[in-house]
Amino acid sequence: MDKLFTEIYSEDNSPYGPTGFLYTLWKASSELSGYAQQDAHESFITVLNQIHSTSRGSTNVSCNCIIHNTFAGQLQSDVKCEKCGNTNSTVDPTLDISLELKGKAGETVGDNTLEGCLRRFTQPERLGPKEYSCSKCGKGSPVRGAEASKRLSIRKLPAVLSFQFKRFEHKTNDKSSARKIDVPVRFPSSINMAAYTTMVMNQMEKENPTGPGAGVPFSYPGPEALYEYDLFAVINHEGQIDNGHYTNYARFEDEWYRFDDDKVTHTTQAECLNSNAYMCFYVKRHLDYKPYQTPTYVLMRETEAQKERERELRELKEKERTEREGTQGSPGSSGGGGAGSANGSASSASKSAPPKDRDRTETREVSTGRPETQLKSKEKTMKSKESRDKEIDDALWEMLG
């Protein structure tokens, strides 16, 4: 990966074949080795898993590796008993979201937009009496209709959202029955994911009990920037299921490019949005959850700088104290006279010392205390700000799950 990124950002304009990356992937994942056609989505997930397993900070619980910090989100599944209202919730990690292009009855639906697919993805699904048993009211009697509903929602939004449209359908184990769903899907250049999150959907149910959109207009909690994403890459599949070819569009800053093997051409966002997408990638517009406040890394840097100032101040005070003790402990005279002579010498030395030296010592002590007073004030302000930021962080993290 290091070599791959080095080549991407180098000034060499000649085509680069990532043979080393491909060879490493083949060695790590034998199912992808060879020259047979492979699915882009399966390859993508395999690459993420391999990078995760070999990254620093990789763990099986609360992993903070580069992959999970970038792509990992959480899906929540809520199963609600229609008889007693009891709800059982489970949370599962996810690296991407796979979206159906067909309705529940198997027919291809007309609303094939990214938003339409997300609405169907988060729409409650009725469960039959044999599919669910309530832990609170026990097994319900097999009456007409469903006795429970299941709903998916996004509990935690990742930094990068990866969507896959399920274009390849396998009805049975017979590969000859596999087919491609080659319908166009419209997707936007930016999307607000608030309506598909667990927190917002639960809040909408409370404020609009008869269904989304009923009653007073709903306002999303928190700033809109928490949910906004911008498109930056699209993978396309051309051809059929057994003889296809992958191409992709990618954005670098504000410029769009089309990649087709070794051919890279400049293109437009409009051409990308009109392509037949198989996978779409969106990046969070504001990566920090406090887009209008001081980022946490800046606060950390300021805290380290304050600790450094405190250390320098302590060293300065220690140095001045040592110098002062050395001056006070030195003998008043080098002669061997009596007490009167010593006192006279000390008195003479005191009288002969310029007033400005004494003033300088007092001024130095005052100037030393002044930064210390400012430092304590800054420390108090910093602690108050950190406490306030922590409260905001906790509220936002609870809001986003």
Side-chain angles (χ1 to χ4, degrees):
M1 289 298 296
D2 291 341
K3 186 176 180 181
L4 183 60
F5 274 90
T6 300
E7 290 290 339
I8 290 175
Y9 288 97
S10 69
E11 297 181 355
D12 186 4
N13 295 326
S14 60
Y16 168 69
T19 55
F21 177 79
L22 183 61
Y23 175 72
T24 304
L25 179 62
W26 283 4
K27 287 186 64 178
S29 305
S30 57
E31 69 275 10
L32 297 179
S33 61
Y35 296 95
Q37 296 191 60
Q38 303 293 341
D39 180 68
H41 176 253
E42 293 179 359
S43 301
F44 169 69
I45 296 298
T46 300
V47 169
L48 295 189
N49 288 332
Q50 291 296 335
I51 297 176
H52 152 72
S53 63
T54 56
S55 295
R56 292 182 178 178
S58 174
T59 61
N60 293 328
V61 180
S62 300
C63 182
N64 61 351
C65 74
I66 182 63
I67 295 301
H68 284 82
N69 279 333
T70 304
F71 295 97
Q74 291 180 345
L75 293 180
Q76 178 166 319
S77 174
D78 297 317
V79 179
K80 181 179 180 180
C81 178
E82 299 291 342
K83 187 176 181 179
C84 66
N86 180 51
T87 301
N88 292 324
S89 301
T90 57
V91 179
D92 296 307
T94 182
L95 295 177
D96 70 326
I97 298 177
S98 295
L99 302 172
E100 297 280 354
L101 293 178
K102 303 182 69 173
K104 299 299 182 183
E107 75 280 1
T108 303
V109 295
D111 187 19
N112 273 330
T113 63
L114 177 57
E115 292 91 339
C117 291
L118 285 168
R119 283 193 295 269
R120 291 195 296 272
F121 181 78
T122 55
Q123 184 178 5
E125 175 186 359
R126 296 288 182 175
L127 301 178
K130 296 182 179 180
E131 297 180 83
Y132 174 73
S133 176
C134 181
S135 59
K136 185 176 182 181
C137 64
K139 294 183 178 181
S141 57
V143 295
R144 292 182 305 168
E147 293 192 0
S149 62
K150 178 181 178 181
R151 188 194 69 181
L152 288 175
S153 58
I154 303 175
R155 180 178 177 87
K156 177 185 176 183
L157 288 166
V160 173
L161 271 171
S162 169
F163 297 111
Q164 178 224 7
F165 299 109
K166 295 183 179 180
R167 290 192 174 275
F168 305 120
E169 184 180 37
H170 301 271
K171 291 184 178 180
T172 63
N173 293 329
D174 184 10
K175 293 185 178 181
S176 61
S177 64
R179 70 184 188 94
K180 179 185 177 184
I181 304 175
D182 205 8
V183 295
V185 180
R186 298 190 303 277
F187 51 94
S189 60
S190 60
I191 186 171
N192 188 305
M193 293 295 295
Y196 317 108
T197 60
T198 304
M199 179 197 61
V200 172
M201 293 176 71
N202 290 341
Q203 193 68 22
M204 288 178 69
E205 283 188 354
K206 293 179 182 178
E207 297 190 13
N208 306 306
T210 59
V216 297
F218 179 78
S219 58
Y220 299 139
E224 289 290 311
L226 288 174
Y227 315 100
E228 293 175 345
Y229 286 78
D230 294 316
L231 180 72
F232 74 93
V234 176
I235 294 178
N236 309 101
H237 182 270
E238 302 171 359
Q240 295 304 312
I241 194 170
D242 56 347
N243 60 351
H245 177 63
Y246 287 105
T247 60
N248 81 283
Y249 293 86
R251 173 171 60 87
F252 181 74
E253 295 181 348
D254 293 328
E255 300 294 329
W256 282 91
Y257 298 89
R258 184 175 185 270
F259 297 81
D260 183 358
D261 291 339
D262 62 337
K263 296 182 287 295
V264 180
T265 56
H266 188 269
T267 185
T268 62
Q269 184 185 78
E271 184 177 342
C272 172
L273 296 178
N274 288 327
S275 64
N276 209 14
Y278 176 50
M279 296 182 69
C280 293
F281 296 87
Y282 288 80
V283 63
K284 200 175 185 67
R285 185 172 298 173
H286 299 281
L287 295 181
D288 198 342
Y289 282 104
K290 299 177 295 181
Y292 305 116
Q293 301 180 28
T294 305
T296 52
Y297 71 90
V298 174
L299 291 177
M300 184 179 298
R301 186 171 59 197
E302 292 177 351
T303 302
E304 293 299 324
Q306 180 177 339
K307 291 181 179 178
E308 182 66 19
R309 289 194 297 269
E310 291 176 352
R311 186 185 64 80
E312 292 177 354
L313 181 60
R314 286 195 301 268
E315 292 179 353
L316 180 61
K317 292 178 66 176
E318 180 65 23
K319 181 179 180 181
E320 291 179 352
R321 185 181 65 82
T322 303
E323 292 177 352
R324 189 162 54 248
E325 290 177 353
T327 303
Q328 293 175 355
S330 61
S333 173
S334 57
S341 176
N343 291 337
S345 300
S347 176
S348 175
S350 174
K351 291 179 180 179
S352 62
K356 62 180 180 180
D357 290 343
R358 293 195 298 271
D359 293 342
R360 184 183 301 122
T361 303
E362 294 175 1
T363 304
R364 183 169 61 246
E365 291 178 356
V366 173
S367 63
T368 303
R370 189 173 301 159
E372 184 176 4
T373 303
Q374 295 177 352
L375 194 59
K376 289 181 179 179
S377 176
K378 289 183 179 179
E379 182 179 1
K380 184 177 180 181
T381 303
M382 180 69 71
K383 288 183 178 178
S384 175
K385 191 173 187 302
E386 289 178 352
S387 177
R388 186 170 60 255
D389 289 342
K390 186 177 185 301
E391 292 178 0
I392 297 173
D393 274 339
D394 292 341
L396 290 176
W397 277 113
E398 181 179 358
M399 179 178 62
L400 291 178

